[in-house]
Amino acid sequence: MGKYKIGIVGATGYTGSELVRILINHPSVEISVITADSRKGERFIDVHPQFQGIFDAPLVGIEEIDKHKLDIVFLALPHGVSMDFVKDHLDRDFKIVDLSGDFRLSSPDVYESWYKNDHNFAEGFEAAVFGLPELFRSKIKKAKLVANPGCFPTSAILALAPLLKEGIIDKDHLIVDSKTGVTGAGNKAKPNTHFPVVNDNFTAYGVKTHRHTIEIQEVINAYSGAESSVLFTPHLLPVDRGILSTTYTKPTQEVSEDLLNKIFKDYYNNEPFVRLVDQVPSLKQVRGTNFADLYATYDDRTKTIITVSVIDNLVKGAAGQAVQNMNLMLDLDEDEGLAIVPLQP
Amino acid sequence: MGKYKIGIVGATGYTGSELVRILINHPSVEISVITADSRKGERFIDVHPQFQGIFDAPLVGIEEIDKHKLDIVFLALPHGVSMDFVKDHLDRDFKIVDLSGDFRLSSPDVYESWYKNDHNFAEGFEAAVFGLPELFRSKIKKAKLVANPGCFPTSAILALAPLLKEGIIDKDHLIVDSKTGVTGAGNKAKPNTHFPVVNDNFTAYGVKTHRHTIEIQEVINAYSGAESSVLFTPHLLPVDRGILSTTYTKPTQEVSEDLLNKIFKDYYNNEPFVRLVDQVPSLKQVRGTNFADLYATYDDRTKTIITVSVIDNLVKGAAGQAVQNMNLMLDLDEDEGLAIVPLQP
Amino acid sequence: MGKYKIGIVGATGYTGSELVRILINHPSVEISVITADSRKGERFIDVHPQFQGIFDAPLVGIEEIDKHKLDIVFLALPHGVSMDFVKDHLDRDFKIVDLSGDFRLSSPDVYESWYKNDHNFAEGFEAAVFGLPELFRSKIKKAKLVANPGCFPTSAILALAPLLKEGIIDKDHLIVDSKTGVTGAGNKAKPNTHFPVVNDNFTAYGVKTHRHTIEIQEVINAYSGAESSVLFTPHLLPVDRGILSTTYTKPTQEVSEDLLNKIFKDYYNNEPFVRLVDQVPSLKQVRGTNFADLYATYDDRTKTIITVSVIDNLVKGAAGQAVQNMNLMLDLDEDEGLAIVPLQP
Amino acid sequence: MGKYKIGIVGATGYTGSELVRILINHPSVEISVITADSRKGERFIDVHPQFQGIFDAPLVGIEEIDKHKLDIVFLALPHGVSMDFVKDHLDRDFKIVDLSGDFRLSSPDVYESWYKNDHNFAEGFEAAVFGLPELFRSKIKKAKLVANPGCFPTSAILALAPLLKEGIIDKDHLIVDSKTGVTGAGNKAKPNTHFPVVNDNFTAYGVKTHRHTIEIQEVINAYSGAESSVLFTPHLLPVDRGILSTTYTKPTQEVSEDLLNKIFKDYYNNEPFVRLVDQVPSLKQVRGTNFADLYATYDDRTKTIITVSVIDNLVKGAAGQAVQNMNLMLDLDEDEGLAIVPLQP
């Protein structure tokens, strides 16, 4: 039996190269076409020389997608650009995993309010399923369009959703303090990613206004039926990859370590990519992999539930989760091609 | 008129070398004696070669302190060791600035509960003044013994104390999420400070149990008269120096950006080392200096006050603040010898 | 048909965990036993928590090796310790890949002169084959004992051996200036690997005396028949993984870029793990992989041949090359289990 | 008596901010005017917020220089731009220290050959003195125009010039292998200074063609009377500041450690900023300071002289050396304002 045929739209960024890194060792799929309008005519290794001798393919224009009979198309495009492709291709035979933020929220209005950008395809929101398999697996299996979650939201939602769903935390005291590696900002050089600006340094950014705030809030509310307000503060770490999110929530009832453990085990014990850990996790223990490591504890002195979760923002926070979604959409084993060992150190 | 004579007890650590870095350019003092029991007989540059051609002195035993007529003695000793020196020398003519945690808390009982270590000099707590000049300047000027604040507490107390004192925040929702450079762990190599463990990595530690929790809580309570509970979570950054603390508190009344600004200006506008900044600060903008940069904002959507403060943990969080205290104790200009420009980048 | 059975002696270090990282995805082998005398009775994930959910096994004493019917044993032991195991086990049925330096040199005398350590098994030198497949493939296939090359030597020998063998460089002007990540120093915390000592810093070490000097020199001389003297200077980079070696040699005849290219293509064009690159390589383009990327150029102005080569010191410089040797010794495809994509960034 | 009046042309880059960092604590000078055409109308702290509360001044256009009665003007301008200012202002009353590369070489022809850029002011080469005080102090004192040395050349020339001048090294075997921090590339974000490109990475660049090659070669030849050819290879370190240069040269006569020591002591023992060290130096031991630390040794086995030197590229490699030159030109103490202690760690 033949392999499933994959298209990747957007080859030049980190998401594009991570998709290739994972997919070329996936036994059931093959990359049929890979596009990059800005580097059309060049080859993949011209942009990502580390793939020399491993994977090379011509970079073609986005219009070439239509010439291939594809099963899945990954959109590794910037926010605001994906929507055009989806608008034009949602009725094709292939399914779409969109790694941008264009269809993660509940409506064009919410999108425009937080992204400060017009949306041109309201119908897409109807079709889109939020691609966090641990919460929405059955919907993903049947989806035509999956909105692959943001990196921060993946780390925060996995920690907060069970607690909110179980009704044990106060919906008005949800604090997410996140710290991310620089690849989260993409592979374009900008003043705030200049090495001497980031190295040996640390700061917060997007205080009160980061777009992932609303993504976290909407998803945990949709999942739990609550109407919470989430405060989310991202910080920029002098590291390449990884997000660590520390959450602080207040219990609405008597809480214990045992109860926390029980809840998280109920939700995640059979999940292939969520590891419940009994030591505070660090970024490197998931580096390069699709794991989300989650630690939870209760501080009786201050009546606060604390969670610490880590992911690789480019894998479980982007390309890895996209492949996990693809596996579900193609009815493959959910972890196929994703048995990657963390690169530590 | 002669210069004031200074003794430094404990030359081998980062605090010792930072004291020397600052004091040798201080116009009103001179280092008369510097001790290091573990390296007695060697010279200062044997331990800190960067001082070649700048400062050299023999390292002597602690007993040599008594042979000098000193005005101030700095204790750059580990926790649990300082108390012995203080016990034996509190009645001498010199004043003491203790950079350890031995006399920062309210009593031996509290100390023993959080430090898991016996205390042998209860009387020291009576004498000791908490050396945060911005809050306790007048007491410091008259103190015989100053307990120099911890690094995390310095960054957190400066942010929280005014808000709690003004009664505008809920005493049961004080969250301090701090991130520190590795020098906070001292200059001894340990498994958790091994370069490949820290580099390109990030984690939390001491969750719920870090000793600085109680220091923050006791000081802001003593200062404000409130009975707050503080939740404090430190994280380890892959950087050398610096602490950034993000605090989250809940208002007890109507709050606005203007009110926050007014409060912090009232408290700090004339402070030589607190800079109120209108952009989120980063570690490097205070590197090597005694500045504490403080940013505050209010999130109306979630009803949360957010502050972000940065210090250099070895300077405002240790040696620089110790010199600031010394200046007060010797009735010198508070910023004498501390006009250091941040090393950025 | 069953899988080949593997023993790993020495599980606690980076080499041990890298062997596991590679071998658990190798289709033709299985890890039957893994030892760690210092952590006997614990489990592999107690030492390497990143393997939670991936690989776990009890850590047993070295004496357990004899209870298994093994095909290959990897020795991930310190220098000076491997020789004991080899002495006692060279006559067993399994083959041995020794990742230490104990059998890389030509004789016990040379060993003792550079390692400042007695050698107790001179016979091992007869049996041992230097495990650099690109130069000694046929011998490796038949070897009972393979001395896996040092990390620096791997990067330097691949660059110098062809030039010396072809007789186009002066044997008295071989300069190797290498720069390594910190994992090359092992996973034990030491003063010179303390994060604040290494971070944002750089230095040379082992000038004139590093043990890898003689390994480089002996191997290229044995291979080429020349009697060269090699000057080797290692430097310590603030990075985790990777070695970049810059070599400077003087031609003994007319040389051109074309000639250099031709020579290296003749030697390496069919090698699965040597990539000849036409841009100066960087460490990350081989991170986590068994590749050695090699760049060569000629400076006509100063009559100097310059090469720049990069490897991952833990992979092509240790565990990956060991698996490559294992594949040869078991008559498997040389690149089986080693199709790893670089983790960049 | 009043202070000397200083103008700084070009405030936005690292060189500009470092000049300010040093000069504001210099007792004999004051900054009268500071220009930045691209940020005209803003204030210095808008560009360099770390100076809040320390130094602020309006940023004015370059034409404002003429309205002030200045003693010294520093040009912190890009290569190719300085020459215009010099052309127009060389006849003014003030002296000029040019930190660009526009007047460091011997002639417009050499400049154009290596900088691939036309030169429009040949007369400037006559006036310009190469501003390395350790070699050209007396000329600098009388100079109207000082060409402040490049960063790499400063580290390399200090090591090579004495050896070549004494005639003990072969002029055809001068190899300089240098490693620099990223600030050497300026403060503009570029693809090759994007954090994820540099972090945990290392590479060489400008192989055979870097402009500093000819600067090193011309200066050591002019100083010694030899006609050497220098091979120079720079590498990019994942650090902010600092250059470490390793040089390899071949003796033309019997050489010993003692002879090397004697030569370097003869040249540098009374130099305020050259420290001869007996341990291999590291970058951080000079960070933020004007020191050049120099180590030399002889490898009898391979007949090679090895030196390792470190500087802070922004200080001794730029702004600090410029102030050192200014002190000489104003007949001040050479180290006035430069008594900076290294920031380590």
Side-chain angles (χ1 to χ4, degrees), chain B residues 94-112:
Chain B
F94 53 76
K95 298 180 174 189
I96 297 174
V97 179
D98 176 19
L99 286 89
S100 87
D102 282 358
F103 297 97
R104 292 178 195 153
L105 302 179
S106 59
S107 72
D109 285 355
V110 176
Y111 178 88
E112 290 170 11

Side-chain angles (χ1 to χ4, degrees), chain B residues 7-9 65 70-75 85 94-97:
Chain B
I8 296 174
V9 176
I65 288 291
L70 301 170
D71 296 291
I72 296 268
V73 170
F74 292 99
L75 302 185
F85 184 92
F94 53 76
K95 298 180 174 189
I96 297 174
V97 179

Side-chain angles (χ1 to χ4, degrees), chain B residues 14 17-18 20-22 24-25 48-54 183 195 199-200 240-241 275-278 284-289 291 293 312 314 339-345, chain D residues 14 17-18 20-22 24-25 48-54 183 195 199-200 240-241 275-278 284-289 291 293 312 314 339-345:
Chain B
Y14 293 138
S17 65
E18 284 290 284
V20 173
R21 179 174 74 90
I22 296 168
I24 59 175
N25 282 325
H48 304 289
Q50 73 268 31
F51 282 87
Q52 182 176 331
I54 300 172
T183 53
F195 182 84
N199 180 51
D200 223 33
D240 286 339
R241 289 168 179 254
R275 301 192 295 191
L276 302 174
V277 294
D278 53 14
K284 265 180 178 170
Q285 72 186 45
V286 298
R287 188 164 61 166
T289 79
F291 289 117
D293 283 7
D312 183 321
L314 295 180
I340 305 166
V341 184
L343 193 72
Q344 180 179 28
Chain D
Y14 293 139
S17 65
E18 284 291 285
V20 174
R21 179 174 74 89
I22 295 168
I24 59 175
N25 283 324
H48 304 289
Q50 73 267 30
F51 282 88
Q52 183 176 330
I54 300 171
T183 53
F195 182 85
N199 180 51
D200 224 34
D240 287 339
R241 288 169 179 254
R275 302 192 295 192
L276 302 175
V277 294
D278 52 16
K284 265 180 177 169
Q285 72 187 43
V286 299
R287 187 164 63 166
T289 78
F291 290 117
D293 284 7
D312 184 321
L314 295 179
I340 305 167
V341 184
L343 194 72
Q344 180 180 27

Side-chain angles (χ1 to χ4, degrees), chain A residues 141-211:
Chain A
K141 287 187 177 213
K142 295 175 289 189
K144 187 76 198 302
L145 169 64
V146 162
N148 210 58
C151 48
F152 288 120
T154 295
S155 72
I157 294 168
L158 288 172
L160 295 178
L163 301 175
L164 197 63
K165 175 87 168 180
E166 294 301 306
I168 69 163
I169 54 172
D170 182 346
K171 69 180 180 52
D172 294 325
H173 292 86
L174 303 183
I175 292 169
V176 180
D177 189 290
S178 293
K179 302 86 177 175
T180 184
V182 183
T183 53
N187 74 345
K188 290 252 169 54
K190 295 167 207 141
N192 64 339
T193 62
H194 189 44
F195 182 84
V197 172
V198 178
N199 180 51
D200 223 33
N201 208 355
F202 184 69
T203 191
Y205 67 99
V207 177
K208 302 192 296 184
T209 62
H210 196 284
R211 297 158 173 183

Side-chain angles (χ1 to χ4, degrees), chain D residues 20-59:
Chain D
V20 174
R21 179 174 74 89
I22 295 168
L23 291 172
I24 59 175
N25 283 324
H26 191 296
S28 301
V29 307
E30 67 186 16
I31 300 170
S32 299
V33 57
I34 181 161
T35 83
D37 277 11
S38 64
R39 305 290 292 265
K40 190 161 52 171
E42 294 184 79
R43 303 191 62 85
F44 186 70
I45 63 165
D46 296 329
V47 181
H48 304 289
Q50 73 267 30
F51 282 88
Q52 183 176 330
I54 300 171
F55 173 79
D56 201 7
L59 298 175

